[in-house]
Amino acid sequence: MTADATDDEPAAPSSPDPRDDGDDERAAIVSDGDDERAATVSDGDVEAPTDALVESRLEDALERVAHGATVSVPGILAERGLSVAFTAVLTNGLGASAYGVFALARRSQSYLLHLAFGFKSGLSRFLPNAADDAERDALIAFASVLLLAVSVLFGAVLYVAAPTVAGLVDVGRPGQFETLLRVFAVGMPAMTWLFAVGEVMRGLEAVGPLTLTMRVGFPLAQLAVGGVGVLVFDDAVLVAVGVVAAYGVVGVGAMAWLARDRGIRPRLRGPDVRALWHRYVAYTLPLFVGGFATVTQRLGFYPLIAWFLTGLAGGVFAVGVLVGSLVRLPLMAINQFIPPVAAELNESGHARALSRLYHVTSRMVLVGVTGLSVPVVVYRRDVMAVFGDAFVPYADLLAGFVVAQYVACAAGSVGILLAMTDNQRALLVVNTAITAALVVVAIPLTAEFGLPGLVGTYVLMLTLNNALEVVVLYHLEGLQPLTRRHGYTLVAATPLAAAAVGARELLPGAAGIAVGVLVGVAAYAATLRWFGFTPVERRLVGTLADRYRGALDGIVVR
């Protein structure tokens, strides 16, 4: 995709600050009676920010987040499409059982990989508030060294433990499983490096480069090596080697470009770097420790599959998670650049603007995720058929994955806001408590009910985790995601569901799917329009339209 000219820089406000020029539109106080405004919580300052300042900060923050989401959405769609294509190539080329072994090995490695990621979140927290280029360079250098060191350690542990792990599970292909584990173990530093580069881009609000690198470049490279490994060599191990190589090549290339474009230079020495290191470690260490709980929640299902279920069950679960992540698209888009924006608002003490940002973005997410979830649930058998006939009998379980993601999306960016408001220790406590409870529940449910019991545990985990995080965030910061308008979205989903179900019953095949989705989405949009949008939402759309129109005109003129 082609990024507009401003993608490499933080998005600027669409008009100057009203404090500077008295802009009537930005400074005006809009009394629309919406409970978004009524729900904002005072930040306790002696001198509360003026309404004009809150409006200015809110609209600036919204534009930056929405611009990042808008530019990221095509990239995320491309990434998910390429990931689905990669999965389909493997499931149809290698077979459901062989793909299940591949997915299980990769997910097992992902457990340690995501633990290492606990040390990268500090980049989004501190880069937006770096005092100068020297501090920026020191942050990037230290975080990179720390992440690589941890990933090398974890990779070595997994490599050595691979025979033992393979001996503990019964996946039907123990030798191949061990080899795959070792390939992914060796590749862990390359994988960590690519994600570290992506986090640097996020912290610098480099919208276009992040999208091209993480959402288009790597998935394309992965699909290419997957196609060669399956269609030419019919070898899952060669696919794994190619995937690892793709991580390394894309990560090195992206960092080389970023260093040249932004003038980034490694900096590990200086009079102030040790204090910076201590601050970075103090912030990220609770996130790293909490990662044991968080990653257990997300990836601990795969050891249960290995112990209690089959390779096919692993493939079904992996496909369900993949499709569920497609439903999660709106939240993923908003989350691309809300971390640096929220960190900046929190650092500068703009609590009211942060509260309203949470309200507006969570409603935007709910509108999008509702429009995606309903058709997936209605046409779940057709969706599962894309991955092969072996997956169709498990189509009803797909609804569980969608419901789990829907509940998670309803909470908005709650986990990010807890971290960006320096409540990472509370996040640690929440995730540890949820994980401890789920360990007690997941094992007997899986042993008794098999894959349905495991999926039920997955739904329970996401529901409890996000609900508790919302409660804790409200208790600590007075922030919560919901307003009255969130309920309008649920009402608008009714005609969408009715149209999709009606078309499915009356028109078989692809025609019924097309008619049901198009008519249903049109009815959904019309209902939302009838309920109306807030002035903030309307101004945001106008601002973004003007921005992209100007960028397009500039391209046409050139």
Side-chain angles (χ1 to χ4, degrees):
M1 56 170 285
T2 303
D4 70 272
T6 62
D7 279 348
D8 293 345
E9 300 294 336
S14 59
S15 61
D17 194 313
R19 293 167 292 170
D20 298 331
D21 66 357
D23 188 325
D24 291 337
E25 180 179 359
R26 291 287 296 271
I29 307 304
V30 181
S31 300
D32 62 351
D34 191 276
D35 51 359
E36 278 179 11
R37 187 182 304 270
T40 48
V41 179
S42 173
D43 59 6
D45 291 341
V46 176
E47 293 184 6
T50 65
D51 288 335
L53 178 57
V54 172
E55 290 291 310
S56 173
R57 291 290 183 177
L58 172 64
E59 295 192 12
D60 173 36
L62 271 176
E63 183 184 345
R64 291 161 63 190
V65 171
H67 169 61
T70 302
V71 175
S72 298
V73 162
I76 295 174
L77 286 173
E79 179 201 18
R80 292 306 172 187
L82 292 168
S83 296
V84 169
F86 175 75
T87 303
V89 167
L90 267 61
T91 55
N92 289 284
L94 299 176
S97 180
Y99 169 72
V101 174
F102 178 91
L104 184 59
R106 191 172 185 180
R107 297 293 180 177
S108 299
Q109 181 256 17
S110 293
Y111 187 94
L112 295 176
L113 183 67
H114 283 79
L115 285 180
F117 288 171
F119 285 116
K120 76 180 174 66
S121 301
L123 289 166
S124 290
R125 173 63 181 86
F126 294 116
L127 280 178
N129 301 301
D132 50 32
D133 288 350
E135 182 174 328
R136 176 203 66 186
D137 293 349
L139 276 168
I140 294 172
F142 177 70
S144 300
V145 170
L146 180 62
L147 282 163
L148 287 175
V150 173
S151 66
V152 168
L153 175 62
F154 284 173
V157 170
L158 181 59
Y159 188 91
V160 172
T164 303
V165 174
L168 291 174
V169 301
D170 181 16
V171 293
R173 301 166 184 250
Q176 186 183 56
F177 183 61
E178 178 184 335
T179 303
L180 288 169
L181 278 178
R182 283 189 156 171
V183 170
F184 289 128
V186 171
M188 194 174 296
M191 297 177 177
T192 303
W193 176 250
L194 177 60
F195 282 99
V197 174
E199 197 69 14
V200 171
M201 291 178 174
R202 181 172 289 109
L204 297 176
E205 295 188 51
V207 182
L210 176 65
T211 300
L212 291 173
T213 300
M214 304 298 292
R215 307 300 183 188
V216 180
F218 171 73
L220 268 176
Q222 177 179 250
L223 178 59
V225 299
V228 172
V230 171
L231 301 178
V232 178
F233 298 100
D234 191 25
D235 191 334
V237 174
L238 284 180
V239 173
V241 172
V243 168
V244 168
Y247 273 104
V249 171
V250 175
V252 170
M255 191 64 215
W257 178 89
L258 187 63
R260 184 183 62 183
D261 184 70
R262 295 298 181 96
I264 298 172
R265 298 292 179 268
R267 180 173 180 261
L268 291 172
R269 296 182 179 180
D272 55 344
V273 293
R274 290 191 178 277
L276 190 65
W277 296 353
H278 292 155
R279 185 158 55 107
Y280 191 93
V281 171
Y283 176 81
T284 56
L285 187 58
L287 295 174
F288 170 73
V289 175
F292 286 88
T294 304
V295 177
T296 298
Q297 292 177 29
R298 301 297 187 267
L299 301 174
F301 299 97
Y302 291 93
L304 291 176
I305 292 171
W307 288 326
F308 294 106
L309 304 175
T310 64
L312 175 59
V316 172
F317 195 88
V319 167
V321 171
L322 175 63
V323 175
S325 69
L326 294 175
V327 171
R328 194 183 178 88
L329 172 67
L331 181 60
M332 293 175 61
I334 289 295
N335 282 351
Q336 292 305 296
F337 291 95
I338 205 170
V341 173
E344 186 178 311
L345 288 174
N346 179 66
E347 189 79 9
S348 54
H350 294 287
R352 288 177 60 195
L354 182 59
S355 177
R356 295 192 59 203
L357 175 69
Y358 190 21
H359 290 151
V360 177
T361 55
S362 64
R363 172 166 149 80
M364 291 166 60
V365 167
L366 191 64
V367 167
V369 75
T370 300
L372 292 172
S373 297
V374 173
V376 171
V377 171
V378 172
Y379 299 111
R380 56 192 178 275
R381 295 185 65 83
D382 303 277
V383 172
M384 292 298 275
V386 171
F387 302 96
D389 294 338
F391 293 89
V392 175
Y394 300 93
D396 288 342
L397 295 178
L398 184 62
F401 291 99
V402 174
V403 169
Q405 293 297 341
Y406 191 88
V407 173
C409 290
S413 308
V414 59
I416 289 175
L417 290 177
L418 273 170
M420 294 302 109
T421 53
D422 297 333
N423 290 302
Q424 63 272 27
R425 288 176 177 79
L427 197 58
L428 165 62
V429 173
V430 169
N431 284 310
T432 301
I434 294 296
T435 303
L438 286 173
V439 166
V440 175
V441 173
I443 294 176
L445 281 180
T446 305
E448 178 68 23
F449 300 105
L451 187 56
L454 188 67
V455 175
T457 305
Y458 182 79
V459 176
L460 180 64
M461 178 269 296
L462 284 181
T463 302
L464 291 178
N465 186 76
N466 285 276
L468 189 54
E469 284 182 356
V470 168
V471 170
V472 171
L473 182 62
Y474 181 73
H475 174 72
L476 295 175
E477 299 291 337
L479 302 175
Q480 56 87 21
L482 302 177
T483 70
R484 182 178 64 247
R485 288 186 172 273
H486 286 67
Y488 299 165
T489 306
L490 301 179
V491 175
T494 303
L496 169 58
V501 172
R504 184 191 65 188
E505 299 300 323
L506 297 175
L507 298 172
I513 297 174
V515 171
V517 171
L518 291 175
V519 173
V521 169
Y524 179 59
T527 307
L528 287 173
R529 185 174 181 181
W530 182 79
F531 279 122
F533 298 93
T534 67
V536 168
E537 293 166 342
R538 291 195 295 269
R539 286 199 300 273
L540 175 63
V541 172
T543 298
L544 291 176
D546 291 342
R547 175 178 188 152
Y548 301 136
R549 190 182 301 115
L552 183 60
D553 290 344
I555 294 174
V556 171
V557 169
R558 288 197 295 270

